[in-house]
């Protein structure tokens, strides 16, 4: 298998009174085995919906078009019975809210071994050994005792470790982590990021985040999403030092610089278009300092890792 | 243990409130001796009753005696048949308990699978079925269901008896009446709880791990949905113990409900009091048992104080 996943022209849309409106608008993305890519964007940019549709677990009202290829299986059109064998096995997901994402009335061990035994024909005892092994690997202290715990008996950080253990338990090729540290406090956040950086084994990681610092910390590649499109992608160093898309530059200069006596906030003016809003041309044009007539006339193609008619060069001041 | 303690405290407060209310009601409605003697009683009778029931003593004294009698479960003798009221009422308890258990059993057997079926796949057709059930049956009181069932099965078809005490078949219509009266609400709650679980994050997690629809339903939806269902079942149980009185009356069922209606009609105060206290105790024990069931079913409650 050459790629962990290959996404071709992915469109995810939802029914609105005015017909279907797309929240993901034609994304192309390839993730290689062992790759670490961050999907960075504001809330509402479609990054979570993209992640969910990669596993085929988008809300039932969503309409998904395009191709999501895992080997020769297209997750968009595959029958549920086929897609199910890949979920939690080949591709898995870590969610934002570790408390509500675990079943409150079942023990940690029962939830984890359920997933092991679904994808492997092994005995209950072997499954429990595997659970113990993976709980130890994600750094849960006293894992043997913790196995018998219920989710509410664990702290937020431990719960998120359990979620990661659940995602890793069948040695997947790709883990999608959707804002895995957003609900945690800062010190726990750092521990979980450590785990994502060094504890993922051979799995490729797609980290969905709104935080560029987190993205740069954990990943080697960044894709920036804006209003349903990937507008720029590249290696972390390249994106941080030499961003080409005006939106990426805006994001980077919006980060307050604490080396100055009084860090000034540099927000990007305006707000993204709503999903029902009809926009002609580039969806960032109305907020962009470089926009001209061409930008509102047609939508820029994604060429040379950026979707912009006027890619900018040089470092940010 | 702490939970049982706090429930016991609730029981004391509950019984205290009920007894004080009863005590005051009896005395607010005029001279209780006249009330107890009934219409057309002569002055000697009234005077005799006044002394027998201690209405000639001061209110405080009367209240303390009243409370002491209640603690000893001595509610006096029935004015109708002169038996001790408490023992008299207790005779009717098993029959009400039987009826309640059977009704709850059939109610659950019908409503839980129906609710799961409706909630598991909330498509257009199932939604319509659900809203039809709810709108047609939820507005129908139990006595209407009872009378309709009697009319059809006892009067027109002649298949089933409508009066208690005529053998096993006599159970069918009262149990059916109560089960049909309770089922729509239970169906609705089960369906809504099941549907609600499908929107929860843990459901999505299970799906993201490849769980098949039947596993999602059995291992993830049901255990959580049945928690909210259990609390309704407990409430329905308590409701039947205290509130099946109209159904018992319609079917002349020898239970607490019938006794309560009769004793109110006869102004048989000792029996009314005894019935009210028996029901209060029953509801208390049902709540206590429900607490324990919740503690068992919901790990989040096991170490907390309810």
């Amino acid at each position: 298998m050459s790629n962990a996943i290959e996404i071709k022209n992915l469109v995810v849309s939802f029914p609105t009174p005015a017909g279907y409106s797309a929240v993901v608008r034609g994304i192309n993305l390839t993730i290689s085995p062992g790759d670490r890519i961050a999907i960075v964007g504001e809330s509402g940019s479609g990054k979570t919906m993209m992640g969910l549709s990669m596993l085929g677990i988008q809300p039932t009202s969503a309409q998904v078009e395009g191709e999501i290829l895992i080997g020769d299986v297209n997750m968009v059109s595959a029958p549920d019975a086929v897609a199910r064998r890949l979920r939690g096995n080949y591709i898995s997901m870590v969610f934002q809210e570790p408390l509500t994402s675990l079943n409150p009335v079942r023990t940690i061990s029962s939830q984890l071994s359920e997933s092991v035994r679904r994808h492997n024909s092994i005995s209950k005892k072997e499954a429990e050994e595997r659970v113990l092994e993976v709980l130890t690997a994600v750094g849960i202290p006293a894992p043997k005792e913790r196995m018998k715990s219920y989710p509410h008996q664990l702290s937020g950080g431990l719960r998120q470790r359990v979620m990661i253990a659940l995602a890793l338990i069948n040695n997947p090729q790709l883990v999608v982590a959707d804002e895995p540290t957003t609900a945690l406090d800062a010190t726990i956040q750092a521990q979980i990021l450590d785990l994502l950086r060094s504890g993922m084994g051979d799995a490729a990681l797609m980290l969905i985040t709104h935080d560029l610092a987190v993205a740069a910390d954990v990943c080697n590649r960044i894709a920036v999403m804006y209003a349903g499109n990937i507008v720029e992608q590249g290696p972390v160093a390249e994106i941080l030092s030499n961003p080409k898309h005006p939106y990426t530059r805006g994001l980077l200069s919006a980060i307050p610089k604490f080396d100055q006596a009084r860090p000034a906030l540099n927000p990007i003016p305006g707000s993204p278009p709503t999903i029902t809003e009809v926009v002609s041309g580039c969806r960032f044009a109305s907020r962009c300092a470089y926009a001209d007539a061409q930008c509102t006339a047609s939508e820029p193609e994604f060429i040379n890792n950026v979707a912009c008619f006027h890619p900018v060069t040089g470092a940010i001041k | 243990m702490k939970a049982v303690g706090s429930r016991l405290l609730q029981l004391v407060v509950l019984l205290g409130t009920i007894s004080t209310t009863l005590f005051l009601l009896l005395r607010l409605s005029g001279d209780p001796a006249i009330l107890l003697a009934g219409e057309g009683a002569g002055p000697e009778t009234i005077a005799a009753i006044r002394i027998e029931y201690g209405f000639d003593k001061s209110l405080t004294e009367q209240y303390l005696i009243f409370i002491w009698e209640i603690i000893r479960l001595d509610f006096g003798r029935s004015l109708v048949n002169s038996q001790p009221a408490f023992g008299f009422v207790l005779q009717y308890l098993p029959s009400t308990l039987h009826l309640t258990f059977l009704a709850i059993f059939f109610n659950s057997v019908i409503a839980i699978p129906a609710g799961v079926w409706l909630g598991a796949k909330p498509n257009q057709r199932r939604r319509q079925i659900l809203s039809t059930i709810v709108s047609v049956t939820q507005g129908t009181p139990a006595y209407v269901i009872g009378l309709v069932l009697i009319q059809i099965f006892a009067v027109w078809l002649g298949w089933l008896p409508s009066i208690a005490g005529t053998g096993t078949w006599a159970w069918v219509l009262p149990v059916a009446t109560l089960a049909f009266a309770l089922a729509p609400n239970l169906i609705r709650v089960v369906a809504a709880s099941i549907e609600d679980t499908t929107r929860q994050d843990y459901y999505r997690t299970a799906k993201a791990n490849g769980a098949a629809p039947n596993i999602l339903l059995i291992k993830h939806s049901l255990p959580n949905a049945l928690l909210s269902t259990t609390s309704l079942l407990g409430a329905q149980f308590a409701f039947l113990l205290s509130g099946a009185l109209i159904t018992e009356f319609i079917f002349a069922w020898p239970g607490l409900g019938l006794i309560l209606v009769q004793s109110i009609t006869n102004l048989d105060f000792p029996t009314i009091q005894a019935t009210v206290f028996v029901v209060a105790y029953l509801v208390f024990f049902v709540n206590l048992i429900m607490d324990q069931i919740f503690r068992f079913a919901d790990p989040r409650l096991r170490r907390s104080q309810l």
Side-chain angles (χ1 to χ4, degrees), chain A residues 60-111:
Chain A
T60 43
S61 59
Q63 182 185 297
V64 182
E65 293 153 286
E67 286 176 59
I68 297 171
L69 296 172
I70 294 178
D72 49 7
V73 176
N74 180 0
M75 294 296 277
V76 176
S77 57
D80 190 54
V82 174
R84 237 161 37 212
R85 282 203 288 275
L86 298 177
R87 276 180 219 140
N89 191 20
Y90 183 92
I91 177 171
S92 58
M93 191 154 178
V94 177
F95 297 97
Q96 180 172 346
E97 287 293 341
L99 176 59
T100 55
S101 295
L102 290 164
N103 195 328
V105 300
R106 295 182 48 200
T107 60
I108 303 302
S109 161
S110 105
Q111 298 186 50

Side-chain angles (χ1 to χ4, degrees), chain B:
Chain B
M1 258 356 265
K2 201 159 184 179
V4 177
S6 86
R7 278 286 183 200
L8 274 177
L9 191 70
Q10 281 177 30
L11 178 71
V12 171
V13 173
L14 175 77
L15 295 182
T17 314
I18 293 177
S19 52
T20 311
T21 312
L22 280 172
F23 177 82
L24 290 176
L25 274 180
L26 186 60
R27 276 138 191 97
L28 276 178
S29 46
D31 188 339
I34 297 177
L35 204 64
L36 291 178
E39 266 175 69
E44 324 69 76
T45 323
I46 295 173
I49 285 178
R50 184 166 293 138
I51 291 168
E52 187 193 335
Y53 285 87
F55 293 139
D56 51 343
K57 299 192 174 81
S58 79
L59 264 186
T60 325
E61 212 173 335
Q62 284 184 45
Y63 183 72
L64 291 176
I65 291 169
F66 181 74
I67 294 292
W68 176 234
E69 284 171 352
I70 284 170
I71 291 171
R72 289 183 303 145
L73 297 173
D74 174 12
F75 297 91
R77 287 175 180 274
S78 162
L79 301 184
V80 174
N81 57 22
S82 307
Q83 287 185 38
F86 186 68
F88 175 66
V89 169
L90 275 190
Q91 290 168 17
Y92 290 86
L93 177 61
S95 144
T96 287
L97 281 180
H98 272 153
L99 190 60
T100 303
F101 273 113
L102 280 174
I104 288 289
F105 175 75
F106 284 104
N107 168 40
S108 313
V109 165
I110 299 165
I112 293 178
V116 169
W117 182 79
L118 287 167
K121 226 190 215 168
N123 56 26
Q124 199 62 25
R125 195 170 59 94
R126 293 189 187 184
R127 268 186 220 280
Q128 271 165 9
I129 295 174
L130 182 62
S131 64
T132 309
I133 291 177
V134 170
S135 53
V136 170
T137 50
Q138 213 164 27
T140 316
Y143 64 86
V144 174
I145 298 173
L147 293 176
V148 168
L149 288 179
I150 288 177
Q151 187 64 35
I152 296 175
F153 292 99
V155 180
W156 288 345
L157 298 172
W159 291 353
L160 295 165
S162 68
I163 302 290
T166 48
T168 318
W169 291 109
W171 288 84
V172 177
L173 287 183
V175 169
T177 301
L178 291 174
F180 281 138
L182 298 178
N185 203 6
L186 189 61
I187 291 178
R188 197 176 51 79
V189 168
V190 172
S193 318
I194 290 278
E195 204 188 325
D196 181 60
T197 59
T198 64
R199 286 188 290 264
Q200 298 298 318
D201 288 349
Y202 57 77
Y203 189 88
R204 189 180 58 184
T205 305
K207 225 172 151 184
N209 280 290
N214 59 333
I215 299 290
L216 286 171
L217 180 64
I218 294 166
K219 288 194 156 179
H220 297 275
S221 287
L222 265 183
N224 285 286
L226 288 182
L227 281 182
S228 40
T229 307
T230 314
S231 66
L232 177 66
L233 270 177
Q236 289 191 332
F237 199 92
F239 170 78
L240 283 194
L241 287 177
S242 57
L245 72 200
I246 295 174
T247 307
E248 289 190 357
F249 191 67
I250 291 174
F251 292 99
W253 193 265
L256 294 180
L258 190 65
I259 285 303
L260 188 61
V261 174
Q262 280 175 357
S263 56
I264 290 172
T265 318
N266 297 332
L267 285 176
D268 183 355
F269 274 96
T271 312
I272 297 175
Q273 286 169 11
T275 317
V276 168
F277 274 89
V278 168
V279 169
Y281 274 117
L282 283 177
V283 171
F284 166 76
F285 280 113
V286 169
N287 286 339
L288 200 65
I289 291 166
M290 292 316 293
D291 283 356
Q292 300 311 313
I293 290 178
F294 269 116
R295 208 162 293 272
F296 175 75
D298 190 342
R300 284 165 294 186
L301 295 178
R302 269 176 218 164
R303 259 174 240 166
S304 64
Q305 307 136 14
L306 201 72

Side-chain angles (χ1 to χ4, degrees), chain A residues 283-305:
Chain A
R283 293 175 78 77
F284 186 62
S286 63
R287 302 172 75 184
C288 180
Y290 304 88
D292 59 13
Q294 188 188 13
C295 297
T296 47
S298 59
E299 204 167 345
E301 302 257 329
F302 191 84
I303 304 163
N304 291 333
N305 285 337

